[in-house]
Amino acid sequence: MHASFITIGQLAKRTGVAVSALRFYEEKGLLDPIRTGGNQRRFLRGDIRRVSFILIAQKLGLGLAEIEDHLAALPQGRNPTLADWQKISRQMRVQIDEKIKLLNRTRNQLDQCIGCGCLSLEKCRLYNKDDKLGLKGPGPRAVLD
Amino acid sequence: MHASFITIGQLAKRTGVAVSALRFYEEKGLLDPIRTGGNQRRFLRGDIRRVSFILIAQKLGLGLAEIEDHLAALPQGRNPTLADWQKISRQMRVQIDEKIKLLNRTRNQLDQCIGCGCLSLEKCRLYNKDDKLGLKGPGPRAVLD
DNA sequence: GTGCAACCTCAAGTTAAGTTGAGGTCAAGC
DNA sequence: GCTTGACCTCAACTTAACTTGAGGTTGCAC
């Protein structure tokens, strides 16, 4: 038995992603469909999951390049197993947790800045000796880096 | 007594923002310096705070247009008071809290998808009847909207 | 009163993530 | 066997947020 193939239009319908975007993802190396004799793309059913992953990762603020890195961890040749996906998902979880931590830190910083009236962070920096602030010259650029 | 003015280069140094970016912000309406007889920009010291606010807001994922909306709430003519800044900062806090909630929701969703092996979210949607999923056609597009 | 760093404008380039359009081909139903 | 919707490529456009470069001017220090 061989894998079942779907057209780009079907993939678009199943994922909610525009056909043009799917072609673009292929161009970027995130998808790699085979071609029919007539040069039309044929995707694997598993690519639905792949695209879904792309969408979720985008929601988390990852760029397509980073997403490609994640996807590169999937095995080539065979269809990814549940375990393969779980491995990637766990990595993502770590990234989300970091993002949440970052936001929490920013919120706290903002709170402090409300308190001291110092939006330029010049004074607030005193509260943040643990951060790497000040290493890269002045300014709040360093706040969330 | 009149306000003390600083040049664009000084503002750049104090905020860590490139001179070209500051000119760009002016073009976008986020800054509004006066001009010398020789057509050079002169900023208020308070603009340091203004730029700092822009940077923080950007870190939170706001676009310049949204940031401009926030800044528009500041009084024109007189220098913003601490209370003015605090009002805006409180609004921002709400936005950060929302963002954190959103990320938490996504993380939970990812956890569930790891559990059921369903990255396409077709099944996971069952866990999310409370969300507005399904209203806009299939696909994970709706996850974080 | 001159040198020169810092300033000015305006146009064009950059990256990300796509979309839109022109012009042409494929494939499935009747 | 033909029609027609779905597909193809390639180039150009879009938005955000800037940067870079060319060519010219200002203003402060000596």
Side-chain angles (χ1 to χ4, degrees):
Chain A
M1 86 212 190
H2 66 92
S4 59
F5 295 111
I6 58 178
T7 68
I8 196 169
Q10 289 168 331
L11 183 56
K13 227 161 242 156
R14 295 296 300 273
T15 59
V17 172
V19 167
S20 63
L22 293 175
R23 293 206 187 99
F24 179 75
Y25 292 160
E26 180 192 7
E27 200 183 317
K28 289 286 169 183
L30 298 173
L31 296 172
D32 190 25
I34 59 167
R35 300 289 180 131
T36 65
N39 197 33
Q40 295 198 355
R41 291 168 180 83
R42 288 299 179 266
F43 294 86
L44 292 169
R45 274 193 180 286
D47 286 330
I48 295 171
R49 181 165 292 186
R50 209 173 163 92
V51 172
S52 300
F53 177 80
I54 293 171
L55 293 174
I56 294 177
Q58 279 187 315
K59 294 285 187 187
L60 298 174
L62 301 201
L64 291 186
E66 296 166 283
I67 296 173
E68 196 192 340
D69 289 345
H70 278 298
L71 288 175
L74 289 176
Q76 300 152 302
R78 70 174 165 80
N79 266 325
T81 64
L82 177 53
D84 291 324
W85 282 115
Q86 285 179 342
K87 209 173 90 191
I88 293 188
S89 296
R90 267 192 295 273
Q91 289 173 7
M92 298 278 296
R93 238 200 92 123
V94 172
Q95 290 192 327
I96 305 176
D97 285 343
E98 270 166 18
K99 251 178 213 295
I100 292 175
K101 260 183 236 149
L102 210 56
L103 278 178
N104 270 316
R105 237 193 298 157
T106 310
R107 197 189 54 182
N108 292 341
Q109 192 137 35
L110 192 57
D111 282 348
Q112 289 171 348
C113 287
I114 290 174
C116 75
C118 157
L119 256 173
S120 80
L121 303 186
E122 305 246 335
K123 278 182 202 156
C124 292
R125 222 175 276 164
L126 297 174
Y127 299 143
N128 287 286
K129 288 214 178 79
D130 40 80
D131 277 347
K132 45 188 187 289
L133 288 170
L135 296 180
K136 318 179 193 179
R141 277 277 185 217
V143 179
L144 279 185
D145 282 352
Chain B
M1 82 206 188
H2 65 92
S4 59
F5 295 110
I6 58 179
T7 68
I8 196 169
Q10 288 168 333
L11 183 56
K13 229 162 242 158
R14 295 296 300 272
T15 59
V17 171
V19 167
S20 61
L22 294 174
R23 294 207 186 98
F24 179 75
Y25 292 158
E26 180 192 9
E27 198 183 320
K28 290 286 168 180
L30 298 174
L31 295 172
D32 191 24
I34 60 167
R35 301 288 180 132
T36 65
N39 197 33
Q40 296 197 353
R41 290 168 182 83
R42 288 297 179 267
F43 295 86
L44 292 169
R45 273 192 180 285
D47 285 331
I48 295 172
R49 183 166 289 187
R50 211 174 162 91
V51 173
S52 300
F53 177 81
I54 294 172
L55 293 174
I56 293 176
Q58 279 188 316
K59 295 284 187 187
L60 298 175
L62 300 199
L64 292 184
E66 296 167 280
I67 296 172
E68 196 190 343
D69 289 345
H70 279 296
L71 288 175
L74 289 176
Q76 300 153 299
R78 69 172 165 83
N79 266 324
T81 64
L82 178 53
D84 292 323
W85 281 114
Q86 286 180 341
K87 208 174 88 190
I88 294 188
S89 296
R90 267 191 295 274
Q91 289 173 7
M92 298 278 296
R93 239 200 92 123
V94 171
Q95 292 191 328
I96 305 178
D97 285 343
E98 271 165 18
K99 250 176 216 293
I100 291 175
K101 261 185 232 145
L102 210 57
L103 277 179
N104 270 316
R105 236 193 298 154
T106 310
R107 196 188 56 182
N108 292 340
Q109 192 137 36
L110 192 57
D111 282 349
Q112 290 170 346
C113 287
I114 290 174
C116 77
C118 157
L119 257 173
S120 80
L121 301 186
E122 305 246 332
K123 278 181 201 156
C124 292
R125 220 174 277 163
L126 298 173
Y127 300 144
N128 287 286
K129 287 214 179 78
D130 39 80
D131 277 345
K132 45 191 187 292
L133 289 169
L135 295 180
K136 316 178 192 179
R141 277 275 186 219
V143 179
L144 279 185
D145 281 352

